[in-house]
Amino acid sequence: MINRTPVPGDAADLAVFAGTSPYEDYVHASVLGSLQQPFTDAPDEMGFLVTTQVMELWFKLIVHEWRAACDAFAKQDLPAALDALERSRRAHLSLNASWTPLAALTPVRFNGFRAAFGKASGAQSVRYRMMEFLLGEKSDAILDAHRGDPVEHSELGEHLHAPSLWDEALHYLHSQGHEVPQAVLQRDVTQAYEPDEGVVEVWRRIYRGPQHDPLLRLGELLTDIAESVERWRTDHLLVVRRAMGARPGSAGTSGLDWLDRRARRRVFPELWTVRSDV
């Protein structure tokens, strides 16, 4: 007879709980596991549904971190802002990796369940729209599209009327003595941000200055985030092109053309412009 030495973590070593485990109480895994309700028997629908829900969780975390960064900028706490941006950078890398399960979805496999979700579309994601508003891509029309849900409309409206991450970063630079144009500092934050040559000049001076300046690190972290967002959009375009070609989007958009226009939009555009002449 072989005497087996118990390995730490074996079932015999685990505590028995009278009710749900502390893990369940904290994570609510059973709630998460109950949310997948496919409409068809298509083998790829479960993966599509889980992946989309995981993306929504990443959206929520990224919004949380960007709002934390905004709060830190408002308090002139650069280290806290940098920490939040770094956390969001890592989260966004994981968000981008979420495309992997869907990247090889063929038209026939996608069509196996596409009709079942009707007019549902990622374009309707409130948390993703919060991300866009935090990037300065404000839109009254986007807010109006959610007027049918009072809770979502109110929450998204708060993001429309609040300064974006970019606005808060520029206000912080101004507080540190950089000459951010008054027109930018006093702009209507409910409108989409438009690039400004004066902001380019502010970043030009930062990038030409000491290479260990914390503000240069800020610029690079914001550039990392901008790059991740643009990669997300490009990967979205490629996944859709592969799975459904040039068919119209389920929410009534033009599909590929709409995604292509969005993929070509620069995030934090002055940080890209400044790279041409430093």
Side-chain angles (χ1 to χ4, degrees):
M1 180 177 180
I2 299 176
N3 292 321
R4 179 177 178 273
T5 302
V7 177
D10 276 3
D13 298 322
L14 296 179
V16 177
F17 303 100
T20 57
S21 70
Y23 176 83
E24 174 62 27
D25 293 338
Y26 183 68
V27 177
H28 301 292
S30 62
V31 175
L32 290 173
S34 71
L35 299 178
Q36 296 74 50
Q37 300 174 21
F39 288 175
T40 74
D41 294 326
D44 294 282
E45 187 181 4
M46 179 61 85
F48 183 85
L49 187 54
V50 169
T51 298
T52 303
Q53 291 175 344
V54 167
M55 288 177 176
E56 283 290 330
L57 291 174
W58 286 124
F59 295 162
K60 181 173 184 177
L61 177 58
I62 292 166
V63 167
H64 172 80
E65 298 295 5
W66 287 353
R67 291 180 67 170
C70 286
D71 290 343
F73 282 132
K75 296 174 183 176
Q76 298 190 18
D77 188 346
L78 182 59
L82 294 175
D83 283 348
L85 292 174
E86 175 58 29
R87 292 193 301 269
S88 79
R89 183 191 70 82
R90 295 194 298 265
H92 213 297
L93 290 175
S94 296
L95 169 63
N96 289 5
S98 299
W99 285 119
T100 302
L102 307 181
L105 198 59
T106 67
V108 170
R109 288 183 175 275
F110 186 39
N111 287 338
F113 61 89
R114 186 189 182 208
F117 58 71
K119 295 182 179 180
S121 167
Q124 298 155 1
S125 169
V126 171
R127 287 179 182 83
Y128 184 70
R129 294 306 186 184
M130 290 176 186
M131 286 177 59
E132 291 192 319
F133 284 6
L134 279 162
L135 293 172
E137 299 181 4
K138 304 292 186 72
S139 168
D140 288 320
I142 292 296
L143 176 62
D144 190 56
H146 293 275
R147 65 184 182 277
D149 186 322
V151 175
E152 290 188 342
H153 186 266
S154 175
E155 192 171 2
L156 189 57
E158 291 178 8
H159 284 78
L160 179 72
H161 290 89
S164 70
L165 176 62
W166 188 240
D167 290 321
E168 293 288 16
L170 295 179
H171 276 275
Y172 177 77
L173 294 181
H174 176 70
S175 75
Q176 300 304 299
H178 291 275
E179 297 179 1
V180 179
Q182 285 299 312
V184 174
L185 296 173
Q186 297 173 7
R187 78 180 196 88
D188 181 357
V189 298
T190 67
Q191 301 300 306
Y193 180 83
E194 294 293 337
D196 185 279
E197 180 56 38
V199 173
V200 175
E201 179 58 30
V202 168
W203 285 111
R204 185 181 291 120
R205 291 175 181 173
I206 291 171
Y207 270 81
R208 286 177 175 174
Q211 294 302 289
H212 295 290
D213 186 344
L215 294 182
L216 181 60
R217 184 187 171 208
L218 170 61
E220 287 298 278
L221 260 178
L222 290 170
T223 302
D224 286 343
I225 290 167
E227 185 173 316
S228 284
V229 172
E230 293 182 23
R231 287 183 186 276
W232 158 267
R233 292 173 176 171
T234 299
D235 287 349
H236 189 184
L237 172 67
L238 295 174
V239 168
V240 170
R241 179 185 293 163
R242 185 162 180 166
M244 55 178 271
R247 293 184 181 90
S250 54
T253 69
S254 57
L256 282 183
D257 288 343
W258 185 76
L259 290 173
D260 185 53
R261 289 195 300 272
R262 297 183 67 76
R264 286 186 277 110
R265 285 161 57 178
R266 297 283 75 87
V267 177
F268 308 150
E270 291 95 337
L271 286 174
W272 299 108
T273 301
V274 76
R275 283 167 153 70
S276 300
D277 58 359
V278 294

